[in-house]
Amino acid sequence: MEHKIYIVGMGPGREGLMTGDALEALEQSDVIIGYTVYLDLLGERFRGKELLSTPMRQEEERCRMCFEEAEKGKQAALVCSGDAGIYGMASLMYEIGKAYPETELVVIPGITAASSGAALLGAPLNHDFCVVSLSDLLTPWDKIEKRLKAAAEGDFAIVLYNPSSRKRKDYLARACDILLGRIEPGRPCGTVENIGREGTESSVCTLQELRDKEVNMFTTVFIGNSTSEIVDGKLITKRGYPSERAAKGPAGSRNGI
Ligand code: SAH
């Protein structure tokens, strides 16, 4: 292969939550390409690099820009928040890369919001879980509904990405209404906002309360499974160890139902 492009997951925001490999790939790059918000988050350390961007929604142009820069002989890196392969641009890079057979793509994993958010809340994902994005920009809403129902049926802990945007104010309420048809209203839930960035906040609530909670495009939402509990303000999903089982009351009694 003549050229190489790094596809870098930069984690939720601050440098401490980036992997050593991600930092090294960026250090080795001549040009770093990404959405402006992420380039800004990279901070001083990479100010000396050539930084290129395209506006939001121009993802294809951003990807093509990477291949064009690589063809000029530069080492290019594309940055995505969290993990580039989780609602990120890694797959689009492989798609566009079909036209550039001389370019090798190297994906560097990053800490996704499910993981960094879970850490802030305690241990909400300590058993089987599903991740569902509420954005219907690229996925029809009826498919999203189907996945939410299936996640509830399977008693998965659930993480919701993209719970809201300027145009989609009521999507979290709509998702909660679907879940409330299958899950008791007292089910422990949590939200985290601005992980690894200024204004980090996390809080716990019930599924019923979650329905009317204000969230934004920098919020990640967690819904517990039937074993989840709120312990000292933390959202904990049990793994099923003997002492966890001993601590559990009769089925369904913990959440006020
Ligand atoms: N590739 C990213 C996800 C992009 S989708 C990742 O792996 O984390 C965008 C959604 O991710 C947001 O709407 C939000 O739900 C979540 N998210 C991304 N960064 C976040 C952060 N710093 N704090 C809270 N949620 C975040």
Side-chain angles (χ1 to χ4, degrees):
M1 297 266 181
E2 256 175 68
H3 313 291
K4 182 164 71 181
I5 300 174
Y6 293 117
I7 304 172
V8 180
M10 59 176 283
R14 68 185 154 79
E15 194 178 308
L17 291 171
M18 281 175 78
T19 68
D21 280 6
L23 288 168
E24 201 179 308
L26 294 180
E27 291 287 6
Q28 283 175 12
S29 295
D30 305 305
V31 51
I32 302 176
I33 295 148
Y35 177 46
T36 37
V37 173
Y38 306 146
L39 294 180
D40 288 346
L41 281 168
L42 283 180
E44 286 307 311
R45 180 162 174 175
F46 299 102
R47 283 287 175 267
K49 306 280 182 188
E50 191 181 350
L51 302 173
L52 296 178
S53 189
T54 63
M56 202 162 140
R57 300 278 170 83
Q58 294 191 10
E59 283 84 6
E60 301 207 9
E61 289 79 351
R62 214 176 300 152
C63 289
R64 264 193 205 98
M65 197 183 246
C66 296
F67 288 98
E68 283 159 14
E69 292 301 308
E71 285 201 322
K72 291 180 196 163
K74 295 184 207 169
Q75 177 55 59
L78 173 70
V79 286
C80 292
S81 80
D83 187 289
I86 299 178
Y87 309 118
M89 280 162 43
S91 57
L92 184 57
M93 284 295 283
Y94 279 98
E95 191 57 41
I96 291 172
K98 289 176 183 170
Y100 299 86
E102 292 308 315
T103 304
E104 180 192 0
L105 298 179
V106 179
V107 181
I108 315 274
I111 301 181
T112 189
S115 194
S116 52
L120 286 170
L121 283 170
L125 304 181
N126 212 18
H127 210 290
D128 300 339
F129 66 95
C130 283
V131 181
V132 179
S133 166
L134 296 191
S135 170
D136 63 354
L137 288 178
L138 303 172
T139 308
W141 179 257
D142 61 352
K143 191 172 229 178
I144 296 171
E145 274 194 12
K146 203 166 152 188
R147 288 178 175 162
L148 289 170
K149 287 175 189 165
E153 291 298 333
D155 192 23
F156 287 95
I158 303 169
V159 189
L160 301 179
Y161 281 53
N162 295 304
S164 175
S165 75
R166 244 165 291 156
K167 288 199 187 130
R168 302 179 288 110
K169 279 278 170 232
D170 65 334
Y171 278 33
L172 179 60
R174 282 163 67 179
C176 287
D177 285 341
I178 291 162
L179 297 174
L180 282 163
R182 290 159 178 80
I183 297 175
E184 76 284 357
R187 177 68 57 87
C189 295
T191 58
V192 288
E193 202 174 305
N194 296 317
I195 309 161
R197 304 177 189 174
E198 227 175 276
T200 304
E201 269 180 42
S202 68
S203 67
V204 294
C205 60
T206 64
L207 180 57
Q208 186 66 55
E209 290 163 345
L210 181 67
R211 188 196 178 282
D212 300 313
K213 201 151 177 175
E214 279 242 345
V215 290
N216 59 47
M217 59 190 294
F218 298 113
T219 309
T220 301
V221 173
F222 293 75
I223 296 147
N225 73 10
S226 60
T227 76
S228 301
E229 271 187 345
I230 293 171
V231 181
D232 288 337
K234 298 285 180 179
L235 178 59
I236 311 299
T237 296
K238 297 174 185 188
R239 177 112 191 264
Y241 291 108
S243 55
E244 289 178 327
R245 285 203 297 269
K248 188 181 156 191
S253 73
R254 294 172 315 287
N255 307 323
I257 51 160

